[in-house]
Amino acid sequence: MRRAALAVLLALALLAPAGPARADATRAEKRRAAKLIREARKLKQTGDRYARDKRFKKRAMQRYKAAARAYIDAHELVPLSTIVFELAGVYDARNEKRWALRGYQRYLELEPDGDEAARAIKRADALTSDLIDEDGEPGDESIDPTPVFGEDPDPEPDPDPDPDADPDPDPDPDPDPDPDPDPDPDPVPEPDTPAPPGRNLRWSGIAAGATGVLFLGIGIKYGMDASSAADELSSKQGPWTDEDRKRIADGESANNKMLLFTLLGTASAVTGGVLYYYGRRAGKRADGGGDVAIVPAVAPDTAGFAIVGRF
């Protein structure tokens, strides 16, 4: 019994400062309205927190929408001027300026000297200034607050013109712009700028030269291994062992690899130099030069590259 009485007192405390209510509102309706107002205020506060971060704008709009529903339901039970003001704040937060303005105006109609009158006047003036420069139409998922705010008043008609006033003279028509003396109805798109002549040859020469240096380095390494094996075996005394014979075979293999990589490196370096030379030459000539191709050349006792083309 004490808990029920406390709930009734709390509901009356929430509703009492809000303004005049329906005389026939039942105690249950007042309790229900008080609960809806608390729920709406909580949703509005949550929406304000989400609205501080652009990433959660959608969540903020959802909380504002739910708050608007709760306020409208509460106003249907107990039509309080505080609900009108707070609902206008919800539409203000949703940036639905026309309905927010109408809500503040409705509150001022109900409570011209109310506790929130100063804030309502300030926001109404700001929204009126904003709506001069922008549309401010409600969003697609908005809730119509007409049951709370009422219908928009009819726009004031334009005053009748003064019959004694001189009519405004017709402005001079703008002169026709000068026609294009040589219109181009079907412009041809500019072709892409071609690559500088010889650039591909120069880059191919650089790549071939770098490959040649790499091969020469490998050849030098194998040459050093072959020389080391020869020095060790030249000072060998006594009978030959299996390890010595293996060392001989390793030295011969290193010597063959040295010859192969030295030949490949020399051929690549020469090819790279030739390609770079003709690339530079083609860059200085208007007609570029001929087609050049690198073809590997392999013989039973040699390997390398051949340059085939027209220069």
Side-chain angles (χ1 to χ4, degrees):
M1 184 67 178
R2 182 178 300 175
R3 183 175 301 177
L6 183 60
V8 171
L9 291 175
L10 180 59
L12 293 175
L14 286 171
L15 297 176
R22 277 198 346 254
D24 59 345
T26 65
R27 185 173 299 179
E29 288 176 336
K30 292 179 180 180
R31 287 200 301 266
R32 175 61 179 162
K35 182 178 180 181
L36 288 170
I37 291 172
R38 290 196 301 270
E39 179 182 349
R41 288 172 178 171
K42 184 177 180 181
L43 288 168
K44 172 66 164 54
Q45 293 173 357
T46 305
D48 290 342
R49 288 197 298 269
Y50 280 133
R52 297 190 189 106
D53 193 331
K54 294 181 179 180
R55 297 175 299 175
F56 304 120
K57 181 179 179 181
K58 185 176 181 181
R59 295 183 184 179
M61 294 299 105
Q62 292 172 347
R63 299 308 187 277
Y64 291 147
K65 185 176 180 180
R69 287 200 187 98
Y71 275 126
I72 292 173
D73 292 343
H75 187 272
E76 185 178 355
L77 295 171
V78 182
L80 301 170
S81 58
T82 299
I83 294 177
V84 177
F85 178 80
E86 294 183 8
L87 179 58
V90 173
Y91 285 102
D92 202 351
R94 284 176 60 89
N95 203 34
E96 299 182 44
K97 298 181 179 180
R98 291 191 182 277
W99 277 343
L101 175 59
R102 180 58 189 146
Y104 292 126
Q105 292 172 340
R106 178 59 178 165
Y107 174 80
L108 293 172
E109 293 171 3
L110 297 172
E111 300 285 348
D113 298 322
D115 295 339
E116 304 295 346
R119 292 174 58 190
I121 293 173
K122 182 178 179 180
R123 286 304 304 153
D125 291 343
L127 291 169
T128 301
S129 178
D130 291 344
L131 287 171
I132 294 176
D133 300 326
E134 58 184 84
D135 189 14
E137 290 296 335
D140 295 337
E141 297 183 357
S142 183
I143 300 175
D144 187 357
T146 303
V148 180
F149 297 159
E151 297 289 345
D152 289 337
D154 295 334
E156 297 181 0
D158 295 334
D160 295 334
D162 187 356
D164 297 332
D166 295 333
D168 294 335
D170 294 335
D172 295 334
D174 294 334
D176 294 335
D178 294 335
D180 189 356
D182 187 17
D184 187 4
D186 189 14
V188 179
E190 296 182 0
D192 296 335
T193 303
R199 186 179 66 177
N200 293 336
L201 285 177
R202 290 196 299 272
W203 280 109
S204 298
I206 293 173
T211 303
V213 171
L214 176 63
F215 285 167
L216 286 173
I218 296 174
I220 292 172
K221 191 267 182 187
Y222 281 120
M224 294 175 64
D225 291 344
S227 176
S228 176
D231 291 341
E232 291 180 6
L233 293 173
S234 64
S235 59
K236 173 68 177 178
Q237 295 180 357
W240 296 92
T241 63
D242 292 340
E243 184 178 354
D244 294 334
R245 294 185 181 89
K246 184 178 181 302
R247 186 62 173 157
I248 293 173
D250 292 342
E252 291 177 350
S253 175
N255 185 68
N256 293 334
K257 293 179 180 178
M258 180 269 293
L259 294 175
L260 175 62
F261 279 101
T262 300
L263 178 61
L264 291 174
T266 302
S268 297
V270 172
T271 301
V274 172
L275 290 176
Y276 188 82
Y277 167 75
Y278 280 105
R280 289 288 301 273
R281 181 178 177 184
K284 296 179 181 179
R285 295 171 55 185
D287 58 354
D291 298 331
V292 179
I294 305 174
V295 180
V298 180
D301 56 350
T302 185
F305 296 94
I307 304 175
V308 181
R310 177 173 55 85
F311 303 98

